[in-house]
Amino acid sequence: MLKFHHMQRLAQVSVRPVQVGPVTFGGAAFVVIAGPCAIESAGQFSRIAAAVKAAGAAMLRGGIYKLRTDPHSFEGLGEAGLAKARAVRDEVGMPFVAEVTDPRQIPVLGEVVDMFQVGTRNMFNYSLLKELGRTDKPVLLKRGFAARLEEWALAAEHVMKEGNSRVVLCERGIRTFETATRNTPDLAGALWIQKRLRLPVLLDPSHGTGRRELVIPLALAAAAAGLDGLLVEVHAEPARALSDGAQSLDFAGFAALMARLRPVLAAVSRPLHARR
Amino acid sequence: MLKFHHMQRLAQVSVRPVQVGPVTFGGAAFVVIAGPCAIESAGQFSRIAAAVKAAGAAMLRGGIYKLRTDPHSFEGLGEAGLAKARAVRDEVGMPFVAEVTDPRQIPVLGEVVDMFQVGTRNMFNYSLLKELGRTDKPVLLKRGFAARLEEWALAAEHVMKEGNSRVVLCERGIRTFETATRNTPDLAGALWIQKRLRLPVLLDPSHGTGRRELVIPLALAAAAAGLDGLLVEVHAEPARALSDGAQSLDFAGFAALMARLRPVLAAVSRPLHARR
Amino acid sequence: MLKFHHMQRLAQVSVRPVQVGPVTFGGAAFVVIAGPCAIESAGQFSRIAAAVKAAGAAMLRGGIYKLRTDPHSFEGLGEAGLAKARAVRDEVGMPFVAEVTDPRQIPVLGEVVDMFQVGTRNMFNYSLLKELGRTDKPVLLKRGFAARLEEWALAAEHVMKEGNSRVVLCERGIRTFETATRNTPDLAGALWIQKRLRLPVLLDPSHGTGRRELVIPLALAAAAAGLDGLLVEVHAEPARALSDGAQSLDFAGFAALMARLRPVLAAVSRPLHARR
Amino acid sequence: MLKFHHMQRLAQVSVRPVQVGPVTFGGAAFVVIAGPCAIESAGQFSRIAAAVKAAGAAMLRGGIYKLRTDPHSFEGLGEAGLAKARAVRDEVGMPFVAEVTDPRQIPVLGEVVDMFQVGTRNMFNYSLLKELGRTDKPVLLKRGFAARLEEWALAAEHVMKEGNSRVVLCERGIRTFETATRNTPDLAGALWIQKRLRLPVLLDPSHGTGRRELVIPLALAAAAAGLDGLLVEVHAEPARALSDGAQSLDFAGFAALMARLRPVLAAVSRPLHARR
């Protein structure tokens, strides 16, 4: 009885689903997006895509244009990566999301992705947000690492005001005084904005913690708490990744994540999103 | 197979259990401590104690000496609360923890509590920590709201160096730039210190979020992520509480928390600590 | 003797000057840039320009493209402001700096400004920084409000790596847990980066504090501490400003700032930059 | 005229002076307190006291009971330091301030100090603050390194409510995401609370920055901005100091600070406090 009463209250927090091809964000099912930080080659991306698909991911991620703090580090394949990404996406038959870092990339990148990702460094780039609001593709809007929840909500409004209401949010950790973890994943904040905006909200436990051994526990926490999915970095050989190796899961790690996720989702009466 | 492999790795993170009367922190079972922010009267405390016991809490909390930012607000019953607390503790037969705010309270408070709590404002009060290190009672050491994990670990060392190794840690949210929530509960940090110090770590989702509607989701997240228990504020009538009403659960809310906690704990193969 | 010894050590912190028309940043003289947050009309801008020139400012600022957190607030005149800005700049004969918020604005805005400003929200917009690195105009690079000093230094490197070494830095306050002030101006950080990069560093006491009554004290502090100049918001009628009114000085306030700045600069043996 | 108008407005921010022996905090004169982080021996303290007196300090500091994050590091001489401190204080004839870290130290420490210092880790130790409010000695209340200004104001209220209104505040840097400096000195916050509480406010540029080369610039900034004085760490041989060596000035450095302070104070029409 009690339980029912509280589930009703929870039900009031239902979000408006966002459809990306066959994948529904914010519906009954929990959605896992996985893939490498950056696409390094067609072979690397293809192997990872096959592995995450086999383990149960619903959607594919992979960086083509990378923003790197250090101007001398690997910045993604750029235009050379577009065709490779497209080929792998078609090969595995999963919808694909990649980050857009400049409004001028929208036409070409739009040929390849099913969803545009706005990274943490661009959440305040209103010029880019507006332009994405004029496209017909959904937007995965990551929280700025120092953005207040109110500002994150207004960034979503910058997109939606232009006519594109298909926005999915992604908490990826905030910057605090703590340095033992790369960022501080803000689950409470993610739940706050999910309730307030009624938009689907994912967690990125890879950037959120920056430490491989914390990725699975935080992923389980997000599922138990009621978020709508995950964005996870996976690499065939994390130790050799050109970026973000320390926080990427290998294939066994990702399979373990999915195996441990299922019972937790069952405990909160939520299925894992199945590929169709 | 995979699952087994990863559970083995997790098992390496096993903590050294701390015994408080019949309650084991950091053992196989997950421990819930509940009670009011402050003991307001014998009757108020007795009703709450009975309710949290009935719903499945393993241990009782209740403030006697309160540190309040505003010097004009309710500061607890102080010495007048000691006998009331003792009577209710004996009546319900549950171990009891209360905060100590001055080294001179140790002898009298020690007559009443089974465990001393060090609050967030005193985590850096090394004078108090050392003195607690010379007692024979376990210590519940909350994280300073702006303490780095390294500093929290060294605060535990201040207690243990004096000879008292029975320390249980409690993450209660850190102070960040975000203001929509009272604090930012740092699950990743709690897991980091659990692994490093091998001490039991609890989450206080009440102070951690400061918002009643976020208490249950964060409690479930802590259970799924692998923390060792919870410290929860419960009040018969939160709207009339003399302190922390906005973040206290009422009896129905606490019963709902416990009902929803059980399946999540089962999903991670961990029982709820039963009263003996 | 002692004094001389320490001045020698200070002298080692000398920066590489950056020339903007007749104005030298990072030379012997202290440079004050002043003007409105946003250009609202030709008349408004013209009056303000005349006033700040009369009071001793060396350079003019004024926003044309504004990034606003709230998408429903005033976003600057945009293209309609370009000709107005140009006319006032020529009328008063002072070099002019305005913010660029999109790489596609560079050609048109470059016709009007003597220096491009990168605002705090775009410090991590490496796509924009690189493009500015390929122009022949100096860049005023504000610190991201949550950027570590190391990241600010690397942002400057993103510009300089492309061939444009004329970068002037501007500290504008960082985001902390404190909310009584809009931001926390980080003088120590500004001095740290000045010494490390040997680039000129200014303080923006208007955004830095968000409170008019703190603008003058922080401006004097910057001068005494050894920074290279100021970026100050001035408005004829701050109470009626379309943006940032609460932190803008009126004409009398700006004249008072300049009057009080001169003796402090004299005390540290540094002249105020004179217009030629 | 203008200048007069603005000085009048500033004059409204006049604080209520606090007298400590012959020294007036918050009066017309700027007060410099100097001395070692910790008293290491009678000889060490005596040499430093003589040096800072010769250079123009008005008051002496020196730690007897030290709170150290690492329980295995030097924690001050404790009771063994009391007589040594007293002897040096009488020898140089300057008022003396030292930190109190436990309410039980008040009677014995009160025999030695002219002013009790509450360190940053104890700003929230209301038990200690109240007890200090019942003494007849002035209190130097440092800001908690993560305390909001409102909380700092209420901490002062905890002391004053008990009857002791002689409170002097000291900003010592706040904890932020920045790690290049040990703390972020918050000049704007110090000015905000000075205006609001009308209590004298000092800056501790040593802890504020944690880097010797930033101590003098921040000290000059505090003087130009209108704060009431400084608390500075000085050591005969910083490289050999048992604590805080990296941020301590040597004798030549302190003499340079005083030499450079005088013209800046003159520029803001404020004398340096002279010893009588």
Side-chain angles (χ1 to χ4, degrees):
Chain A
M1 199 79 100
L2 249 174
K3 201 176 161 185
F4 178 70
H5 166 67
H6 274 269
M7 283 178 65
Q8 267 192 316
R9 278 171 47 194
L10 263 197
Q12 292 167 11
V13 192
S14 67
V15 306
R16 297 184 303 257
V18 170
Q19 199 67 29
V20 181
V23 176
T24 310
F25 287 88
F30 188 84
V31 178
V32 178
I33 309 176
C37 172
I39 298 176
E40 299 169 7
S41 70
Q44 170 248 22
F45 191 39
S46 175
R47 273 195 306 280
I48 296 173
V52 301
K53 181 179 181 180
M59 191 162 161
L60 197 57
R61 63 155 288 162
I64 294 171
Y65 301 99
K66 302 297 298 176
L67 292 175
R68 303 303 302 278
T69 304
D70 179 348
H72 304 281
S73 55
F74 178 60
E75 298 185 310
L77 296 177
E79 290 203 18
L82 293 167
K84 294 180 176 67
R86 177 70 188 238
V88 172
R89 169 196 175 279
D90 293 346
E91 176 187 310
V92 292
M94 298 168 84
F96 172 57
V97 60
E99 184 173 350
V100 55
T101 63
D102 186 313
R104 294 167 299 186
Q105 296 160 357
I106 293 176
V108 286
L109 193 59
E111 297 291 312
V112 175
V113 300
D114 300 280
M115 187 181 209
F116 288 112
Q117 178 179 317
V118 176
T120 191
R121 294 184 186 80
N122 275 315
M123 195 209 83
F124 288 103
N125 185 344
Y126 300 135
S127 189
L128 177 63
L129 296 182
K130 278 185 196 172
E131 198 109 342
L132 290 169
R134 295 183 201 116
T135 71
D136 62 354
K137 283 206 189 305
V139 175
L140 181 62
L141 178 62
K142 293 189 112 179
R143 180 180 184 179
F145 61 79
R148 296 213 174 98
L149 294 165
E150 186 69 30
E151 293 167 334
W152 193 11
L154 287 167
E157 175 73 6
H158 273 280
V159 177
M160 296 191 291
K161 180 167 170 273
E162 302 297 319
N164 184 353
S165 63
R166 292 201 290 157
V167 174
V168 174
L169 302 173
C170 182
E171 161 67 25
R172 47 78 68 207
I174 58 173
R175 178 165 285 183
T176 68
F177 60 81
E178 184 55 65
T179 53
T181 49
R182 182 170 170 183
N183 293 288
T184 300
D186 182 11
L187 273 188
L191 293 161
W192 183 94
I193 204 165
Q194 183 195 46
K195 184 177 180 180
R196 183 183 163 101
L197 295 197
R198 303 171 73 93
L199 294 176
V201 182
L202 315 182
L203 178 72
D204 174 347
S206 309
H207 286 90
T209 64
R211 289 174 165 265
R212 190 177 305 120
E213 78 268 20
L214 295 176
V215 171
I216 294 181
L218 265 292
L220 302 182
L227 293 188
D228 300 298
L230 299 172
L231 181 69
V232 185
E233 289 190 346
V234 178
H235 197 279
E237 298 175 274
R240 298 191 180 193
L242 296 182
S243 53
D244 283 354
Q247 68 197 30
S248 294
L249 295 179
D250 61 13
F251 296 167
F254 183 66
L257 182 159
M258 298 303 284
R260 293 176 61 192
L261 198 54
R262 284 185 178 89
V264 171
L265 287 169
V268 295
S269 308
R270 200 161 189 186
L272 183 68
H273 202 291
R275 288 182 315 280
R276 293 175 202 177
Chain B
M1 198 82 98
L2 248 173
K3 200 176 165 184
F4 179 68
H5 167 67
H6 275 269
M7 282 176 68
Q8 264 191 317
R9 276 173 46 197
L10 262 197
Q12 291 167 12
V13 193
S14 68
V15 305
R16 297 185 302 259
V18 171
Q19 198 68 28
V20 182
V23 176
T24 309
F25 288 89
F30 188 83
V31 178
V32 178
I33 309 176
C37 172
I39 298 177
E40 299 169 6
S41 70
Q44 170 249 20
F45 190 39
S46 175
R47 274 196 306 280
I48 296 172
V52 301
K53 182 179 181 179
M59 192 164 157
L60 197 56
R61 62 154 289 162
I64 295 172
Y65 301 100
K66 303 296 298 176
L67 292 176
R68 304 302 303 280
T69 304
D70 180 348
H72 303 282
S73 56
F74 177 60
E75 297 185 311
L77 296 179
E79 288 201 19
L82 292 168
K84 294 180 175 67
R86 177 71 189 240
V88 171
R89 169 196 175 280
D90 293 345
E91 177 188 311
V92 292
M94 299 169 84
F96 172 58
V97 60
E99 184 174 350
V100 54
T101 63
D102 186 314
R104 294 167 299 184
Q105 295 160 358
I106 293 178
V108 287
L109 195 59
E111 297 289 313
V112 175
V113 300
D114 300 280
M115 187 182 210
F116 288 111
Q117 178 179 318
V118 175
T120 190
R121 293 183 187 82
N122 276 313
M123 196 210 81
F124 288 103
N125 185 345
Y126 300 136
S127 189
L128 177 63
L129 295 181
K130 278 185 196 173
E131 197 110 342
L132 290 168
R134 296 184 200 115
T135 71
D136 61 354
K137 284 205 189 304
V139 174
L140 182 61
L141 178 62
K142 295 188 111 178
R143 181 181 185 179
F145 60 78
R148 295 210 175 102
L149 293 166
E150 186 68 30
E151 293 168 333
W152 193 11
L154 286 168
E157 174 72 5
H158 273 280
V159 177
M160 296 191 290
K161 181 166 168 274
E162 303 296 320
N164 185 352
S165 63
R166 293 200 288 158
V167 174
V168 174
L169 302 173
C170 182
E171 161 67 26
R172 48 76 70 206
I174 57 172
R175 177 164 286 183
T176 68
F177 60 80
E178 183 56 66
T179 53
T181 48
R182 181 170 170 185
N183 292 288
T184 300
D186 182 10
L187 272 188
L191 293 161
W192 183 95
I193 204 165
Q194 182 195 45
K195 184 177 180 181
R196 182 182 164 100
L197 294 198
R198 304 171 73 92
L199 293 177
V201 182
L202 316 181
L203 178 72
D204 174 347
S206 309
H207 286 90
T209 64
R211 290 174 164 265
R212 189 176 305 121
E213 78 270 19
L214 295 176
V215 171
I216 293 181
L218 265 290
L220 302 182
L227 294 189
D228 299 297
L230 300 171
L231 181 69
V232 186
E233 288 190 347
V234 177
H235 198 278
E237 300 175 274
R240 297 192 180 194
L242 296 182
S243 54
D244 283 353
Q247 69 198 32
S248 294
L249 295 179
D250 61 13
F251 295 166
F254 183 67
L257 181 160
M258 298 303 284
R260 294 176 60 193
L261 197 54
R262 283 184 179 90
V264 171
L265 286 170
V268 294
S269 309
R270 199 162 191 188
L272 184 67
H273 201 292
R275 284 184 316 282
R276 292 176 201 175
Chain C
M1 197 83 97
L2 250 174
K3 201 175 163 186
F4 180 68
H5 167 68
H6 275 269
M7 283 178 66
Q8 264 191 317
R9 278 172 47 195
L10 263 197
Q12 292 168 12
V13 192
S14 68
V15 306
R16 297 185 301 259
V18 171
Q19 199 67 29
V20 182
V23 175
T24 309
F25 288 88
F30 189 83
V31 177
V32 178
I33 308 176
C37 172
I39 298 176
E40 300 169 8
S41 70
Q44 170 250 19
F45 191 40
S46 174
R47 273 195 307 279
I48 296 173
V52 300
K53 181 179 181 179
M59 190 163 160
L60 196 57
R61 61 154 290 162
I64 295 171
Y65 301 99
K66 301 298 298 177
L67 291 175
R68 304 302 303 278
T69 305
D70 179 348
H72 303 282
S73 56
F74 177 61
E75 298 184 311
L77 295 177
E79 289 201 19
L82 292 168
K84 293 179 176 67
R86 177 71 188 238
V88 172
R89 170 196 173 281
D90 293 345
E91 175 188 312
V92 293
M94 298 168 84
F96 171 58
V97 60
E99 185 173 349
V100 55
T101 63
D102 186 314
R104 296 168 297 186
Q105 295 159 1
I106 292 176
V108 285
L109 194 58
E111 297 290 313
V112 175
V113 300
D114 299 281
M115 186 183 211
F116 288 111
Q117 179 178 318
V118 176
T120 190
R121 293 183 187 82
N122 277 314
M123 194 210 82
F124 288 102
N125 186 344
Y126 301 135
S127 189
L128 177 63
L129 296 181
K130 278 185 198 174
E131 198 109 344
L132 291 169
R134 296 184 201 115
T135 70
D136 61 355
K137 283 206 190 303
V139 175
L140 182 61
L141 178 62
K142 293 188 114 178
R143 180 180 185 180
F145 60 78
R148 295 211 175 100
L149 294 166
E150 187 68 30
E151 293 168 334
W152 193 12
L154 286 167
E157 174 72 6
H158 273 279
V159 177
M160 295 190 292
K161 181 167 169 272
E162 302 297 320
N164 185 353
S165 62
R166 292 200 290 158
V167 175
V168 174
L169 302 173
C170 182
E171 160 68 27
R172 47 78 69 208
I174 58 173
R175 177 165 288 184
T176 68
F177 61 80
E178 184 56 66
T179 53
T181 48
R182 181 171 171 184
N183 293 288
T184 299
D186 182 11
L187 272 188
L191 293 161
W192 183 93
I193 204 165
Q194 182 195 47
K195 183 177 180 180
R196 184 184 163 101
L197 296 197
R198 303 172 73 93
L199 293 175
V201 182
L202 316 182
L203 177 73
D204 173 347
S206 308
H207 286 90
T209 64
R211 290 173 164 266
R212 189 176 305 120
E213 79 269 20
L214 294 176
V215 170
I216 295 181
L218 264 293
L220 302 182
L227 294 187
D228 300 298
L230 300 172
L231 182 68
V232 185
E233 289 190 348
V234 177
H235 198 278
E237 299 175 274
R240 298 192 179 193
L242 296 183
S243 54
D244 283 353
Q247 70 198 30
S248 293
L249 295 179
D250 60 13
F251 296 167
F254 184 67
L257 183 159
M258 299 303 284
R260 293 177 59 193
L261 198 55
R262 283 183 178 89
V264 171
L265 287 169
V268 294
S269 308
R270 200 164 189 184
L272 184 68
H273 201 291
R275 286 183 315 282
R276 294 174 202 178
Chain D
M1 197 84 97
L2 248 174
K3 201 176 165 185
F4 179 69
H5 166 68
H6 274 267
M7 282 177 66
Q8 264 193 319
R9 276 173 47 197
L10 263 197
Q12 291 166 14
V13 192
S14 68
V15 304
R16 295 185 303 259
V18 170
Q19 199 68 28
V20 182
V23 176
T24 309
F25 288 89
F30 188 82
V31 178
V32 178
I33 308 176
C37 172
I39 298 177
E40 299 170 7
S41 70
Q44 170 249 21
F45 191 39
S46 175
R47 274 195 305 280
I48 297 173
V52 301
K53 181 178 181 180
M59 191 163 160
L60 196 57
R61 64 153 289 162
I64 295 172
Y65 301 99
K66 301 297 299 178
L67 292 175
R68 302 304 302 279
T69 303
D70 180 347
H72 303 283
S73 56
F74 178 60
E75 297 186 311
L77 295 178
E79 289 202 19
L82 293 169
K84 294 179 175 69
R86 176 72 188 239
V88 171
R89 169 197 175 279
D90 293 346
E91 178 187 311
V92 293
M94 298 169 83
F96 172 57
V97 61
E99 185 173 349
V100 55
T101 63
D102 186 313
R104 294 167 300 185
Q105 295 159 357
I106 293 178
V108 286
L109 195 58
E111 297 291 313
V112 175
V113 300
D114 299 280
M115 186 181 209
F116 288 112
Q117 178 178 319
V118 176
T120 190
R121 295 184 186 81
N122 276 314
M123 195 210 83
F124 287 103
N125 185 345
Y126 300 137
S127 190
L128 178 63
L129 296 182
K130 277 185 195 172
E131 197 109 343
L132 290 169
R134 296 183 201 115
T135 70
D136 61 354
K137 284 205 188 304
V139 175
L140 181 62
L141 179 62
K142 294 187 113 178
R143 181 180 184 179
F145 60 79
R148 296 209 174 101
L149 294 165
E150 187 68 30
E151 294 168 334
W152 192 13
L154 286 167
E157 176 70 6
H158 273 280
V159 177
M160 295 192 291
K161 181 167 169 275
E162 302 297 319
N164 185 353
S165 62
R166 292 200 290 158
V167 175
V168 174
L169 302 173
C170 181
E171 160 68 25
R172 47 79 68 204
I174 57 172
R175 178 165 287 184
T176 68
F177 60 80
E178 183 56 67
T179 54
T181 48
R182 180 170 171 185
N183 293 288
T184 301
D186 182 11
L187 271 188
L191 292 161
W192 183 95
I193 204 165
Q194 182 195 46
K195 184 178 181 180
R196 183 183 163 102
L197 295 197
R198 304 171 73 90
L199 293 176
V201 182
L202 315 182
L203 178 72
D204 174 346
S206 309
H207 286 90
T209 64
R211 290 173 165 266
R212 188 175 307 120
E213 78 270 21
L214 294 175
V215 170
I216 294 180
L218 265 292
L220 302 182
L227 293 188
D228 300 297
L230 301 172
L231 181 68
V232 185
E233 289 190 346
V234 177
H235 198 279
E237 298 175 275
R240 298 193 178 191
L242 296 182
S243 55
D244 283 354
Q247 69 198 29
S248 292
L249 295 179
D250 61 13
F251 296 166
F254 183 67
L257 183 160
M258 298 303 286
R260 294 175 59 193
L261 198 54
R262 283 185 178 90
V264 171
L265 287 170
V268 294
S269 308
R270 199 162 190 188
L272 182 68
H273 201 292
R275 285 185 315 283
R276 292 175 203 175

